[in-house]
Amino acid sequence: MEIKISDGIVRRVQGGKDAPMTGLAVRARTIANFLPLVCQRSGAKIVHNSDQNYTGIRFETKAVGPVVLEIPTGDEPYRLVQEFIDPDKEGRMAVELRRFPQIYKPQGIAFLTAEFLRSRGFLS
C-alpha cells in the first residue's frame, strides 16, 4: 500500500493510477518487494511525504512511533529514522537509527533493514 502526505493531509495512493513514477518511488517499490514477511506483516507502507520532502518505506512498530527507511537522493546514504508521535524530552520529533551506504542492491537494503528492526525489537 502507498500513501501520500501533502499539506498535512494523508491520502491513499491508488496502485496504477495515482502512484508517482519518480526514480525514488520506483526504488522504494523495488526494496519493498524484497522485504521479508515479518516486515510485511508489520504493515510496511510506501510513503511519499512532500511536507518533509522524502520518499520511504514506513514500518509500524511496537516502539513509541513508526520507523521510516528514507530513500536517498543523490549520493546520500539510506537512513532509518524513528518518528515520534509526541516530541521527546529534548523536543525532537525524529531520531536517526542507522545509515546504509548505496553500495548495496535492493535485496541487501531490504535484508539489512529487516534484520536491524528485528534484532532491536521493533518488529515482533
Side-chain angles (χ1 to χ4, degrees):
M1 184 165 114
E2 294 188 38
I3 59 175
K4 186 174 187 176
I5 303 170
S6 64
D7 300 326
I9 299 171
V10 179
R11 292 184 178 95
R12 183 173 181 201
V13 175
Q14 298 298 327
K17 295 189 283 185
D18 304 329
M21 292 305 292
T22 63
L24 296 176
V26 171
R27 198 175 330 159
R29 288 186 202 105
T30 304
I31 294 170
N33 284 335
F34 290 111
L35 288 172
L37 185 60
V38 68
C39 291
Q40 294 175 10
R41 254 194 262 140
S42 73
K45 297 178 181 80
I46 298 173
V47 178
H48 309 284
N49 191 337
S50 58
D51 290 347
Q52 295 182 356
N53 199 22
Y54 73 82
T55 295
I57 303 171
R58 179 182 175 129
F59 304 91
E60 300 301 328
T61 63
K62 300 186 304 184
V64 178
V67 174
V68 177
L69 173 66
E70 293 182 1
I71 308 299
T73 57
D75 293 334
E76 299 174 9
Y78 290 89
R79 293 177 18 162
L80 263 179
V81 178
Q82 182 178 8
E83 296 179 342
F84 299 123
I85 297 168
D86 296 320
D88 64 353
K89 295 174 184 175
E90 299 169 8
R92 298 178 299 181
M93 290 298 292
V95 63
E96 184 177 300
L97 301 173
R98 177 102 194 255
R99 289 178 178 229
F100 303 118
Q102 289 193 34
I103 61 172
Y104 297 106
K105 293 180 180 179
Q107 295 95 327
I109 295 296
F111 175 76
L112 289 171
T113 301
E115 281 303 303
F116 180 85
L117 294 176
R118 187 193 59 75
S119 67
R120 302 304 191 283
F122 286 104
L123 304 176
S124 55

